[in-house]
Amino acid sequence: MLWWALDEIRLLVTGRSARYSQVVLELAWDPSPRADASLAAHVLAVGVAKRAQLWAPIGSVVLVAPGGHPGVGPAVDTARGLWPAAVVTVVDEAVAALAGAGLDPEPSACVVVHQDAVRTSVAVVAEREGIVSGLAPGGTRGLAEAVAEHLRAVHRLDVGLEEAWAAVVHDGAFGPSPWIPRAGPVYGTPITSDRILPSPPGTATVSPAELRDVVTPAYGPVAALVEQVLRDAPPETARQATVGGLLLTGPHPPGVEHHLTELTGLPARRVAEPKAGFHRPQVLLDGVARLLSENPPAPDPTEDRPDVSKPLRLLESFGLLPPRGPTAEERNR
């Protein structure tokens, strides 16, 4: 149930009305030089291009991405090429995260720290607008890889990313899990020098202090990025954002808000994903839905509707359909 947190691209297709469907694509992105800026466009073109898999016509395409995302341009071009009648909307990830958090009252400005599969975005948001933002590589996949490497090197246990990420969430690196009362063993395959046949399953017990030592370095760049965006923001906005503090969204491990407060000196709150919502980033999607309800797209999906008048007339001529009355256009002739 934790696998969604390790997905680099997430796609959601919803039937918003009987007239058209909406595609929501969240662009989890690796900001390193090896990142392919056309990946989002490729997902649209290959992953959802078969219109038979969707409720045609597609009237709305929403791209959710951090500020300056390199895949937005190619994805917008591809979406417009696939569905010319659709309204393409780009939603700033930090703004959507703030809207989905449902804070009451909502701060006039704050620093949104949204963690995703392969990076953590940090942005100063004021009055529902992203002011300054930056990206730190790693994300949940980076945390899981660090734990998996530690288990191989220290405990001689080979584990998958899902098992390593479950250990980060449930074994109390920064705080106790709200869902698992106490930490359990990590399951994997023992590493031996003379492995000939498949080894029987093995386990390792990792203490919260040990886990904290492993994953703490990943939050150093995040804290540095918080200081950077506050320096780059206008002075008055930075002052308001300092008062508003840090808002942590996405699959952050429990208790990490206290750790970031220690590093930055700013008050922090973490909006936890609901237990039943682990299969998708519910807080972010709630924010997208709220923003779209405040400013709904107005697509014209008639362009995708095929003209079936000639095939119907042909079926009537063979007696396979009862004759229809004249259309309004024919009556006006």
Side-chain angles (χ1 to χ4, degrees):
M1 67 179 178
L2 299 173
W3 292 2
W4 72 266
L6 302 174
D7 293 339
E8 296 186 13
I9 294 286
R10 282 189 283 276
L11 178 68
L12 177 69
V13 180
T14 60
R16 294 191 62 230
S17 71
R19 294 180 59 242
Y20 66 90
S21 293
Q22 176 174 282
V23 176
V24 177
L25 177 63
E26 184 196 353
L27 308 182
W29 205 256
D30 183 351
S32 67
R34 71 175 184 273
D36 180 7
S38 64
L39 178 59
H42 177 76
V43 170
L44 279 173
V46 176
V48 297
K50 295 182 179 179
R51 301 188 185 189
Q53 298 176 354
L54 305 173
W55 296 303
I58 303 300
S60 173
V61 179
V62 183
L63 303 175
V64 187
H69 191 301
V72 168
V76 168
D77 294 340
T78 301
R80 287 175 175 164
L82 289 172
W83 304 294
V87 174
V88 181
T89 306
V90 179
V91 176
D92 190 299
E93 176 182 80
V95 176
L98 176 60
L103 303 181
D104 187 20
E106 188 174 292
S108 58
C110 66
V111 181
V112 177
V113 181
H114 181 75
Q115 190 171 71
D116 217 315
V118 289
R119 71 338 176 230
T120 301
S121 64
V122 178
V124 174
V125 179
E127 303 298 339
R128 294 280 182 91
E129 181 182 354
I131 306 301
V132 184
S133 63
L135 296 174
T140 57
R141 187 181 291 270
L143 296 179
E145 289 174 347
V147 172
E149 181 61 31
H150 174 78
L151 289 169
R152 294 187 190 100
V154 176
H155 295 273
R156 306 295 294 167
L157 190 70
D158 188 18
V159 302
L161 290 181
E162 294 85 4
E163 185 69 26
W165 174 242
V168 173
V169 173
H170 294 320
D171 290 356
F174 295 110
S177 169
W179 307 288
I180 305 297
R182 51 185 172 272
V186 180
Y187 293 91
T189 302
I191 298 175
T192 61
S193 58
D194 57 348
R195 182 187 299 176
I196 300 176
L197 298 176
S199 303
T203 61
T205 301
V206 185
S207 68
E210 184 179 358
L211 269 178
R212 184 184 178 102
D213 290 341
V214 173
V215 300
T216 288
Y219 280 93
V222 175
L225 197 53
V226 170
E227 297 176 357
Q228 176 185 322
V229 297
L230 287 173
R231 284 196 304 268
D232 295 342
E236 180 59 24
T237 302
R239 185 191 67 79
Q240 295 176 354
T242 301
V243 174
L246 306 179
L247 176 65
L248 278 59
T249 59
H252 288 277
V256 75
E257 62 273 23
H258 306 300
H259 179 63
L260 280 178
T261 294
E262 294 174 357
L263 294 177
T264 64
L266 299 178
R269 69 186 89 182
R270 181 177 67 93
V271 181
E273 296 286 343
K275 184 177 180 181
F278 263 128
H279 65 292
R280 61 180 183 177
Q282 190 62 48
V283 171
L284 196 63
L285 293 178
D286 287 346
V288 172
R290 178 173 296 181
L291 294 174
L292 294 179
S293 66
E294 296 172 357
N295 188 21
D300 180 16
T302 56
E303 183 174 326
D304 285 345
R305 295 176 181 173
D307 183 8
V308 295
S309 58
K310 290 184 179 179
L312 288 178
R313 292 297 186 190
L314 183 61
L315 292 175
E316 290 172 7
S317 66
F318 284 105
L320 299 177
L321 285 177
R324 298 180 302 161
T327 64
E329 182 180 352
E330 293 171 339
R331 286 195 300 267
N332 294 331
R333 288 178 182 174

